[in-house]
Amino acid sequence: MPSSSPIALVTGASRGIGRAIAVELASAGYDIVVNYVSRDDAAEETAALITEQGREALLVKADISRAQDRERMIEATRTRFDRIDTLVNNAALAPRERVDLLESSQEHYDRTLEVNLKGPFFLTQSIARWMVEERRAEPDRKLYIVNISSLSEYTSSVLRGDYCLAKAGMGMLTSLFADRLGEENIPVNEIRPGIIATDMTADAIANPDFKEQRVDPTPLGRLGQPEDVAMGALYLASDESSFVTGAELVIDGGWTAQ
Ligand code: NAP
């Protein structure tokens, strides 16, 4: 028997932006599949926050770059909820090290592209097939796909070229699936966050010059918080955005406007 509540699968929901999105969607009535890859403790904290909202959390430890992990995650979701309404492609690897474009390795390139682009592509493909089944069974169901991209989608950083390439690919992933799934009335959109205070950016933010050089000059003059991005994801996973697809929502405190 399918769950009576909407279900959102959020990748990389154990920490940072993914956790904030999971909690925000839970507060709006979604039960959440909390995907993560290694941090059981953090995933359990996310689950507790979801439970506080009166919603259910299903923890699935799965590496989104691995086909068998993605299949196991979908199978676990089917077994527990027998339903999918929203996919949020949030998980990504930060560059392990900053390496000049002329020195970067194929191994690092492959790993970054596998996690940050190939994994999301094939997860979206699998979930989209399932959503099409859902649409056939229930023509009025609201179904959404939200991708988390980055300013790196169009701004080059020569010390993390592979990350930029993966995020540029994420932009086309959004366009492709928006185009293909429009006929199924499944909106596919993306958020481009600016600099958000999470573990991914903690080292950079800890640099004593960071605030003066990277934050103060931006129009709003403050760092983004995961909740800033989560509010955008909530909009894109709700009927409020029913005429929006293939779009980019920039949540960067005005960084792009400079
Ligand atoms: P974060 O704090 O580093 O958290 C990364 C999350 O992804 C964790 O939940 C981690 O799980 C999970 N993860 C990593 N590799 C995975 C894999 N192979 N399979 C499944 N899960 C995996 O990152 P964040 O700053 O919240 O970033 C979230 C998204 O926003 C990313 O797409 C990032 O590129 C984007 N973004 C971030 C910023 C920023 O300033 N923070 C700016 C622009 C865009 P574990 O806890 O198990 O390790």
Side-chain angles (χ1 to χ4, degrees):
M1 184 74 173
S3 170
S4 55
S5 304
I7 305 303
L9 191 169
V10 183
T11 67
S14 48
R15 294 183 279 131
I17 293 170
R19 172 186 283 179
I21 292 172
V23 174
E24 200 58 50
L25 293 182
S27 77
Y30 277 96
D31 292 331
I32 310 289
V33 181
V34 175
N35 161 250
Y36 66 107
V37 69
S38 62
R39 292 275 307 273
D40 300 305
D41 55 332
E44 277 158 22
E45 281 174 29
T46 302
L49 293 168
I50 291 166
T51 310
E52 272 175 29
Q53 302 292 329
R55 305 310 321 175
E56 269 191 68
L58 170 65
L59 301 188
V60 185
K61 187 174 189 170
D63 182 338
I64 56 162
S65 71
R66 293 165 50 109
Q68 63 264 48
D69 281 26
R70 293 192 299 270
E71 281 161 25
R72 183 169 48 75
M73 178 160 62
I74 291 172
E75 205 41 54
T77 308
R78 281 189 186 273
T79 302
R80 172 75 166 267
F81 298 117
D82 193 16
R83 175 171 175 157
I84 190 72
D85 298 82
T86 289
L87 167 66
V88 182
N89 281 308
N90 165 77
L93 270 186
R96 258 177 297 162
E97 59 211 24
R98 292 181 168 245
V99 180
D100 182 76
L101 204 56
L102 305 190
E103 306 298 334
S104 58
S105 70
Q106 293 194 36
E107 184 208 2
H108 195 272
Y109 176 100
D110 286 345
R111 184 67 190 143
T112 305
L113 271 285
E114 273 173 16
V115 175
N116 295 8
L117 187 58
K118 184 176 169 185
F121 178 86
F122 284 104
L123 181 61
T124 305
Q125 183 191 65
S126 300
I127 293 283
R129 287 182 185 144
W130 185 5
M131 286 180 168
V132 170
E133 289 171 28
E134 299 277 44
R135 170 66 68 237
R136 298 285 175 275
E138 260 186 79
D140 293 336
R141 275 273 290 287
K142 309 294 181 193
L143 303 165
Y144 306 98
I145 297 175
V146 181
N147 298 322
I148 308 301
S149 180
S150 166
L151 297 177
S152 299
E153 181 175 331
Y154 68 98
T155 308
S156 76
S157 302
V158 295
L159 299 182
R160 46 182 195 150
D162 39 23
Y163 181 84
C164 296
L165 281 167
K167 290 299 183 183
M170 190 58 114
M172 182 50 75
L173 189 158
T174 300
S175 301
L176 285 166
F177 280 99
D179 194 0
R180 174 62 182 83
L181 296 177
E183 68 192 71
E184 304 292 345
N185 193 18
I186 302 172
V188 183
N189 292 294
E190 75 178 32
I191 298 176
R192 281 189 196 166
I195 305 168
I196 310 294
T198 68
D199 293 344
M200 188 180 274
T201 48
D203 287 349
I205 292 169
N207 184 316
D209 299 328
F210 186 81
K211 183 171 178 303
E212 193 182 332
Q213 290 178 357
R214 304 289 302 279
V215 179
D216 292 347
T218 62
L220 293 183
R222 73 164 173 89
L223 267 178
Q225 297 301 318
E227 293 70 24
D228 293 317
V229 182
M231 292 310 296
L234 177 61
Y235 168 68
L236 293 174
S238 75
D239 210 24
E240 308 299 315
S241 59
S242 64
F243 196 52
V244 182
T245 196
E248 301 136 1
L249 177 54
V250 179
I251 301 183
D252 68 354
W255 194 95
T256 307
Q258 294 171 98

